Amino acid sequence: MGGCTSKEVAPGSAPADASKEATAKSKDIDRQLAEEKVASKDIKILLLGTAETGKSTVLKQLRIIHGGGFTDDDITTFRYAAKRNIFDTVKTLVEAMEQLKIPYGFNPNTAKCAQKSSKPSLHHAPSLGDSKENVGFGKHAPIAIEAVEVWASTKIIDDATRGETQAAVDLILSAHPEYTKLLPLPLVKAIKLLWNDVGVKYCFSRSNEFQIIDLSYFMQDIDRFIASDYIPTNQDILASRVMTSGVCETKVIIKGTIFRVFDVGGQRNERRKWIHVFDNVNAIFFLFDLSAFNQVTVEDQNINRVVESLTVFTFICNHNAFKKSAIMIFMNKIDLLREKLEHSMVQDYFPEFLGTNDYKEVSKFFAEKIASFNKNQEKQLYFHYTQANDTTKMKAVLATVIESILVNNLQSAGLM
């Protein structure tokens, strides 16, 4: 007959190890469930910033990269928006010609003061030693003063084109809004004629003195935009401007998580609506237009746009509602900043800037200035240098931003 034997189990042997292993697995499962619970919750993002900083463009990029693009209704809206942008911008230029007192046909290259001076003209980028006041990039510059003097005697210099130019100006100023929706041929001819006028181009070079969007993208291919079968491309949609009014919510799914993105108007009269979306915010995308360092706001011609952005940022960054919210700072329009630094001195607008007038020094200056307004030293600010209308570059930026938000979300839940 066989016998049964038993072994005495020494302390710390297999069964105890198995118990520890089971406990560890249980904790891993609990952690995984907790992470899944956090991930299953919607992530709320606010797109904030002052007007014309690029908030809606970033939202469009999110839709292109992560949201499946645009609906048929969206495409119809942007189809008309592109045409409306073309007309509105040319009308703004016509009004600015009157405001700045620049004659049609005024050529800064052949102006008397340009011939007397060795300073570069409109079509030659000024050296970094030239300030905006002596090369034609300000109302007190010699070329600008000469333009006013010529304007006092004639608003259209070329007698041969006087009638045609005046007719184009009259058509632009009198066109009914409904007439501009389709950009009929007579209107297109007027737009082309005025856009090619050297005086209008000089006026456009001084666009920091009035409110306008960059028309160059549309004008280089205007015939495509006015074609009856025109369908906007993604790049066209990114270039189009439709003013945001109220609060617009967009949902995109990234890595299995729903991101609810709220885009709110950046104009002063729209900011009072921001408070309604301040609760339970996971992250803020705050946009600065770095290229606006020499521009003023729409609402107040005495307030610099970057200064206005800093004021709004200070309020948002230090608001109690956002103590735990990640703040992603988009230092936007760096392509335009690089261009503008070729002929405009940052120190003329920010005297405290003592560095070299180049992209590296200027971007560092503004980043440090922004960071200095953060009163909570424990709150980390994430800086990203962006060109919001470039999908390839934005794809890389958004990948980094989204990863940071997901990590921050887990840290806030005590899971990291």
Side-chain angles (χ1 to χ4, degrees):
M1 299 243 345
C4 292
T5 60
S6 64
K7 288 185 179 180
E8 189 174 319
V9 179
S13 59
D17 290 342
S19 177
K20 287 184 178 180
E21 185 178 347
T23 301
K25 283 184 178 180
S26 178
K27 287 182 178 180
D28 286 342
I29 292 172
D30 289 342
R31 178 184 176 82
Q32 185 177 352
L33 289 172
E35 289 181 356
E36 289 175 354
K37 184 177 180 181
V38 171
S40 68
K41 291 183 178 179
D42 295 354
I43 288 181
K44 183 177 180 180
I45 296 174
L46 297 189
L47 266 172
L48 300 179
T50 55
E52 297 297 323
T53 51
K55 298 184 301 297
S56 295
T57 306
V58 170
L59 182 60
K60 291 173 190 174
Q61 292 285 22
L62 275 168
R63 294 184 64 180
I64 291 170
I65 298 167
H66 296 290
F70 304 97
T71 65
D72 290 342
D73 287 343
D74 292 330
I75 290 172
T76 298
T77 296
F78 287 115
R79 179 185 180 190
Y80 289 112
K83 296 178 181 182
R84 185 74 196 187
N85 288 164
I86 292 171
F87 172 78
D88 287 348
T89 306
V90 171
K91 185 177 181 180
T92 298
L93 281 169
V94 169
E95 293 169 344
M97 292 285 285
E98 187 79 12
Q99 172 192 333
L100 301 179
K101 296 180 172 55
I102 299 173
Y104 292 93
F106 178 78
N107 190 338
N109 289 333
T110 58
K112 293 178 183 177
C113 62
Q115 294 174 343
K116 292 178 182 178
S117 172
S118 60
K119 298 292 184 185
S121 67
L122 169 66
H123 301 292
H124 298 84
S127 69
L128 296 181
D130 298 321
S131 78
K132 67 183 187 306
E133 298 301 337
N134 61 15
V135 295
F137 288 96
K139 62 183 178 181
H140 301 300
I143 290 177
I145 293 172
E146 183 174 333
V148 173
E149 292 171 349
V150 175
W151 185 88
S153 59
T154 179
K155 295 184 180 181
I156 302 175
I157 293 176
D158 191 348
D159 290 334
T161 61
R162 185 182 304 276
E164 189 178 17
T165 300
Q166 188 61 58
V169 169
D170 293 342
L171 179 58
I172 294 294
L173 292 176
S174 63
H176 190 276
E178 291 298 317
Y179 184 62
T180 66
K181 282 185 176 179
L182 298 176
L183 283 188
L185 189 58
L187 206 53
V188 172
K189 287 183 177 179
I191 288 170
K192 286 182 175 180
L193 185 147
L194 294 175
W195 177 249
N196 289 321
D197 183 275
V198 290
V200 173
K201 288 190 179 297
Y202 169 60
C203 180
F204 187 67
S205 76
R206 292 171 59 186
S207 60
N208 66 302
E209 298 176 52
F210 53 96
Q211 308 298 329
I212 194 171
I213 63 172
D214 190 347
L215 188 63
S216 305
Y217 176 84
F218 298 106
M219 290 306 299
Q220 65 186 1
D221 201 9
I222 187 172
D223 291 330
R224 179 170 66 87
F225 292 106
I226 65 172
S228 58
D229 59 350
Y230 164 63
I231 301 295
T233 64
N234 282 344
Q235 198 59 44
D236 295 343
I237 291 174
L238 290 170
S240 299
R241 294 289 178 268
V242 177
M243 184 177 292
T244 302
S245 179
V247 179
C248 301
E249 179 182 0
T250 299
K251 291 183 180 180
V252 293
I253 300 176
I254 307 173
K255 294 186 175 182
T257 300
I258 296 174
F259 285 75
R260 299 169 62 215
V261 186
F262 293 83
D263 181 19
V264 293
Q267 295 75 20
R268 285 184 181 178
N269 63 340
E270 292 288 334
R271 291 176 207 160
R272 55 187 170 80
K273 302 173 185 177
W274 291 9
I275 193 71
H276 301 298
V277 290
F278 275 14
D279 59 306
N280 302 316
V281 174
N282 298 97
I284 293 170
F285 290 1
F286 197 99
L287 275 81
F288 281 87
D289 174 3
L290 293 189
S291 73
F293 69 85
N294 66 344
Q295 293 175 260
V296 295
T297 65
V298 174
E299 299 89 352
D300 188 339
Q301 299 297 301
N302 295 311
I303 301 296
N304 180 282
R305 283 195 186 185
V306 173
V307 171
E308 175 90 339
S309 289
L310 287 167
T311 300
V312 176
F313 172 75
T314 302
F315 169 74
I316 294 298
C317 182
N318 301 297
H319 197 287
N320 284 335
F322 307 128
K323 280 185 176 179
K324 296 183 179 180
S325 304
I327 298 185
M328 311 293 173
I329 299 173
F330 287 63
M331 308 285 269
N332 199 28
K333 303 189 182 182
I334 58 174
D335 54 322
L336 299 181
L337 172 65
R338 292 178 189 274
E339 291 176 11
K340 194 169 282 189
L341 290 175
E342 294 180 2
H343 59 72
S344 193
M345 301 291 291
V346 171
Q347 193 176 35
D348 288 336
Y349 305 91
F350 292 86
E352 67 272 30
F353 173 66
L354 302 176
T356 306
N357 202 70
D358 59 30
Y359 170 74
K360 183 178 180 180
E361 291 280 330
V362 169
S363 58
K364 179 184 177 184
F365 165 73
F366 283 121
E368 290 176 350
K369 197 171 188 67
I370 291 166
S372 70
F373 288 96
N374 175 18
K375 297 176 183 178
N376 181 2
Q377 297 304 311
E378 294 182 4
K379 176 182 283 293
Q380 184 176 355
L381 304 179
Y382 302 85
F383 286 85
H384 300 276
Y385 297 83
T386 58
Q387 183 180 336
N389 61 359
D390 187 315
T391 301
T392 301
K393 292 177 181 176
M394 282 303 296
K395 189 173 183 179
V397 170
L398 288 172
T400 301
V401 168
I402 295 302
E403 187 62 31
S404 296
I405 293 173
L406 292 173
V407 169
N408 189 75
N409 206 34
L410 291 174
Q411 288 175 337
S412 297
L415 297 172
M416 288 190 73

